[in-house]
Amino acid sequence: MGSNGRAATGSAATARPSLRLVAALLVAQQVVLTLVHYAAAPALGLVPGSARAISLTIIGGAIVIGLAVAADLRRPGRGPAVLLRWPRRGRVTVVVIVLAMVIAQLPLLYLAATGRTVWQSGGDADVMVGEALRGPSGALWLVIATVFIAPVIEEVLYRGYLVGSLIDRLPAVVTVLVSAVLFVTLHAEASNLVAAFCLGIATAICAVLTRSIVPGLIVHVAGNAFGMWYASLV
């Protein structure tokens, strides 16, 4: 039994992604998103910061990085090692999700309590997105990209690969903070910094406590959906 336990531990360590691979994926995502948004989108006649440019950036980036991740996931044991598995059913998982939902929505709850909006706290890009949500065109792809596509690829990278690579190397608190801080770099807009940090904390807590990206994905999708809905009201 002891030798089997050591073999299982060794197998898990082998399947765990290297920090170099994780760093490469995170940097590659940033580079791809930048190129799509500021090079490909203008070449197609889209204004950077517009709803259509943002949609193209999210979808295009997800396709490129998704292909790289799909190729890596072919390695034996890689899926569970990067937390691509179902969490255990039970009260603890439900409590973790509910707590994470509250943490993730703290910034919007504050804005709602003070009568302000997400877009009033941002710049021209935020205004354009807010107008798109209230307009007859451009909103559908923006919602699909923001509510469904972005959460999937971001949870796979920042909670699956990043947390999965750190969870047995660092204390849980450090792992959560590292994941949240790096996640903020993906959302560099001033109006999104606090919201991104809270969401990063919430979803990283989910990943650490449940050893699965599914609870965090639920929180992420719900948080983005609520944010888009709130923005569409003003």
Side-chain angles (χ1 to χ4, degrees):
M1 182 174 180
S3 60
N4 289 338
R6 287 192 295 272
T9 301
S11 177
T14 301
R16 183 175 60 196
S18 67
L19 295 178
R20 182 176 300 178
L21 171 62
V22 175
L25 286 174
L26 298 185
V27 171
Q29 186 194 29
Q30 297 275 15
V31 171
V32 170
L33 293 177
T34 300
L35 291 176
V36 173
H37 195 73
Y38 293 104
L44 295 174
L46 303 179
V47 179
S50 66
R52 293 181 185 277
I54 292 173
S55 301
L56 176 65
T57 300
I58 294 173
I59 296 171
I63 291 173
V64 174
I65 300 302
L67 290 174
V69 168
D72 180 67
L73 288 176
R74 298 176 64 182
R75 299 189 179 193
R78 180 73 96 204
V82 296
L83 313 185
L84 298 185
R85 57 188 174 189
W86 293 104
R88 291 183 179 180
R89 296 181 179 180
R91 183 178 301 176
V92 173
T93 298
V94 174
V95 170
V96 169
I97 292 175
V98 172
L99 175 62
M101 288 274 194
V102 174
I103 296 173
Q105 294 307 315
L106 286 177
L108 278 183
L109 292 174
Y110 171 76
L111 290 177
T114 57
R116 303 172 65 197
T117 71
V118 175
W119 316 118
Q120 289 171 343
S121 303
D124 293 339
D126 292 326
V127 174
M128 284 191 286
V129 171
E131 290 175 347
L133 289 172
R134 299 191 300 274
S137 63
L140 177 59
W141 283 109
L142 180 62
V143 170
I144 292 174
T146 303
V147 176
F148 299 105
I149 297 177
V152 171
I153 195 67
E154 289 172 6
E155 289 307 308
V156 169
L157 290 181
Y158 287 87
R159 261 61 70 176
Y161 274 82
L162 181 56
V163 171
S165 68
L166 298 178
I167 200 168
D168 293 321
R169 288 185 169 109
L170 299 174
V173 173
V174 177
T175 297
V176 168
L177 288 175
V178 169
S179 175
V181 169
L182 291 180
F183 182 62
V184 168
T185 66
L186 190 63
H187 304 79
E189 306 90 346
S191 60
N192 288 335
L193 293 181
V194 175
F197 183 72
C198 289
L199 179 59
I201 289 288
T203 51
I205 288 174
C206 287
V208 169
L209 294 182
T210 68
R211 299 286 176 130
S212 168
I213 70 165
V214 175
L217 180 58
I218 293 172
V219 172
H220 201 152
V221 169
N224 282 14
F226 181 74
M228 299 291 277
W229 168 78
Y230 183 73
S232 70
L233 297 179
V234 295

